[in-house]
């Protein structure tokens, strides 16, 4: 392709420090000078090996974004990273034109509604719920109160669901009760798992979108240029329309296997998608959904190897 398209990353992570417990198992950086973490009792490469201090900072990500010509990014959260609200508030203040950041309470603890209200007062315009790490039947009165509050205040819900359709019925209930609540379904419905299209079909509702964070991880066995991922994007578009789908990288974990640019250019280089479809998927939908304003124009920088 000739002219570079504007790119927005709808699913990435940042943290200064990882030290948390999920399902009774610790996740923490290995010391000293290691970019690996102990992950549910197993050593995993959590960051590219040159990030030896374990800090996955906004400045490092901006360097990757500028080099890969990604104008803006949505920073989500996950229990495996630990709560990162304080740092993400700082990131949002410092770089308001480059990032949209999600807040996250500890939804595993009763009484989370008070924490969520505080996060909204602190300025978070979105709240993230990793529902796949909650009980399969996660929906209760406190969550419904939260979703009504978010709908009233225009707060975006980012949510990742358990594999397949086991939590789709609960999402239909939430959407029915709060039809104006803007919802981003993560990880492309866990596309390589059975019944993934049940999650995609939630985007038939007006205010529900789907983002592809982690799609290169889910198709990692196939590897670049991920032709099955492109086919899955087309299949999802046939179900809900390309205008409901958004690209996401799941940075930084995915770039332990590929470069940041590779996490989207399998789309730009594909002959299976039109230029219009690529623009919708890579930027236009996310820009509209998350409310990004004027985006930074980023020049192409030649590699030393060119």
């Amino acid at each position: 392709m000739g002219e570079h398209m504007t790119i927005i990353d709808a699913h990435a992570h940042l943290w200064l420090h990882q030290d948390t417990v999920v399902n009774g198992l610790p996740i923490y950086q290995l010391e000293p000078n290691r970019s690996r973490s102990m992950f549910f009792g197993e050593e995993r490469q959590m960051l590219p090996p040159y990030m030896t201090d374990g800090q996955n900072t906004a400045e490092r990500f901006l360097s990757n974004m500028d080099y890969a010509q990604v104008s803006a990014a949505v920073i989500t959260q996950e229990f495996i990273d630990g709560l990162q609200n304080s740092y993400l508030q700082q990131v949002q203040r410092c770089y308001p034109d480059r990032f949209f950041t999600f807040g996250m309470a500890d939804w595993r603890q009763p009484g989370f509604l008070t924490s969520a209200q505080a996060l909204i007062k602190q300025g978070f315009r979105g709240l993230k719920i990793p529902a796949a790490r909650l009980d399969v039947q996660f929906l209760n009165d406190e969550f419904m109160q939260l979703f009504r509050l978010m709908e009233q205040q225009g707060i975006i819900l980012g949510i990742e669901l358990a594999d397949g359709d086991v939590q789709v019925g609960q999402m239909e209930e939430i959407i029915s009760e709060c039809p104006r609540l803007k919802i981003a379904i993560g990880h492309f419905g866990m596309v390589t798992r059975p019944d993934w299209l049940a999650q995609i079909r939630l985007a038939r509702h007006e205010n529900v979108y789907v983002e592809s964070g982690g799609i290169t991880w889910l198709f990692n066995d196939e590897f670049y240029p991920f032709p099955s991922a492109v086919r899955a994007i087309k299949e999802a578009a046939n179900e809900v329309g390309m205008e409901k789908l958004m690209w996401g990288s799941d940075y930084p974990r995915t770039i332990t296997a590929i470069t940041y640019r590779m996490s989207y250019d399998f789309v730009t280089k594909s002959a299976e998608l039109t230029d219009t479809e690529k623009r919708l998927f890579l930027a236009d939908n996310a820009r509209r959904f998350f409310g990004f304003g004027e985006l930074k124009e980023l020049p192409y920088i030649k590699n030393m190897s060119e």
Side-chain angles (χ1 to χ4, degrees), residues 1 23 63 85 92 99 123 140 156 182 213 226 294 303:
M1 295 183 56
N23 297 332
S63 181
N85 297 312
Q92 189 72 75
F99 294 118
N140 57 30
I156 294 174
K182 294 177 71 174
F226 308 108
E294 187 174 349
N303 291 318

Side-chain angles (χ1 to χ4, degrees), residues 175-187:
I175 295 162
S176 176
E177 182 73 18
C178 305
R180 292 178 291 108
L181 175 64
K182 294 177 71 174
I183 302 171
I185 306 291
H187 291 325

Side-chain angles (χ1 to χ4, degrees), residues 188 191 196-197 200 210-213 215-216 219 225-248 263-264 266-268 270 272-274 277-278 280-282 285:
F188 219 66
V191 57
W196 67 279
L197 282 172
I200 301 297
V210 175
E211 47 91 343
S212 75
I215 197 169
T216 60
F219 285 100
F226 308 108
S228 295
V230 174
R231 287 193 291 271
I233 293 166
K234 288 177 64 66
E235 188 172 1
N238 287 336
E239 293 285 340
V240 300
M242 188 63 78
E243 67 275 6
K244 284 302 196 79
L245 308 177
M246 304 180 288
W247 170 70
S263 69
Y264 75 77
F266 76 94
V267 173
T268 62
S270 173
E272 301 297 311
L273 299 167
T274 67
E277 289 173 327
K278 292 172 185 178
L280 288 169
F281 183 65
L282 291 171
N285 299 336

Side-chain angles (χ1 to χ4, degrees), residues 19-183:
D19 188 2
T20 187
V21 175
V22 180
N23 297 332
L25 293 171
I27 298 171
Y28 56 90
Q29 182 194 351
L30 293 171
E31 299 287 355
N33 300 325
R34 302 292 292 278
S35 54
R36 296 176 189 167
S37 293
M38 190 58 65
F39 186 82
F40 297 150
E42 182 181 39
E43 189 171 330
R44 290 285 187 92
Q45 192 73 38
M46 188 73 78
L47 293 168
Y50 50 81
M51 290 190 189
T52 54
D53 59 5
Q55 293 192 348
N56 170 35
T57 65
E59 289 73 24
R60 284 174 175 169
F61 189 25
L62 284 167
S63 181
N64 270 286
M65 289 167 64
D66 289 352
Y67 176 57
Q69 296 176 278
V70 174
S71 294
V74 177
I75 307 303
T76 188
Q77 295 202 53
E78 229 276 20
F79 289 141
I80 64 173
D81 300 334
L83 298 181
Q84 301 292 332
N85 297 312
S86 294
Y87 181 54
L88 295 189
Q89 270 192 296
Q90 177 185 334
V91 169
Q92 189 72 75
R93 284 196 303 269
C94 291
Y95 308 105
D97 59 331
R98 303 299 299 274
F99 294 118
F100 177 105
T101 62
F102 275 102
M104 186 172 74
D106 192 344
W107 316 114
R108 299 164 296 187
Q109 303 298 324
F112 59 71
L113 185 58
T114 300
S115 298
Q117 290 170 322
L119 291 170
I120 293 170
K121 287 181 180 178
Q122 289 164 19
F124 282 106
R125 293 179 290 135
L127 296 178
K128 169 64 184 295
I129 300 177
R133 299 198 186 277
L134 303 175
D135 292 337
V136 170
Q137 296 296 324
F138 72 94
L139 190 57
N140 57 30
D141 289 342
E142 190 172 15
F143 270 119
M144 286 308 305
Q145 290 180 61
L146 171 68
F147 298 139
R148 292 188 193 103
L149 173 68
M150 292 174 67
E151 182 188 36
Q152 291 165 7
Q153 300 201 19
I155 304 300
I156 294 174
L157 169 63
I159 192 164
E160 287 150 11
L161 303 176
D163 293 1
D165 61 358
V166 294
Q167 293 177 326
V168 167
Q170 295 169 87
M171 290 304 302
E172 291 282 6
E173 187 176 343
I174 293 164
I175 295 162
S176 176
E177 182 73 18
C178 305
R180 292 178 291 108
L181 175 64
K182 294 177 71 174
I183 302 171

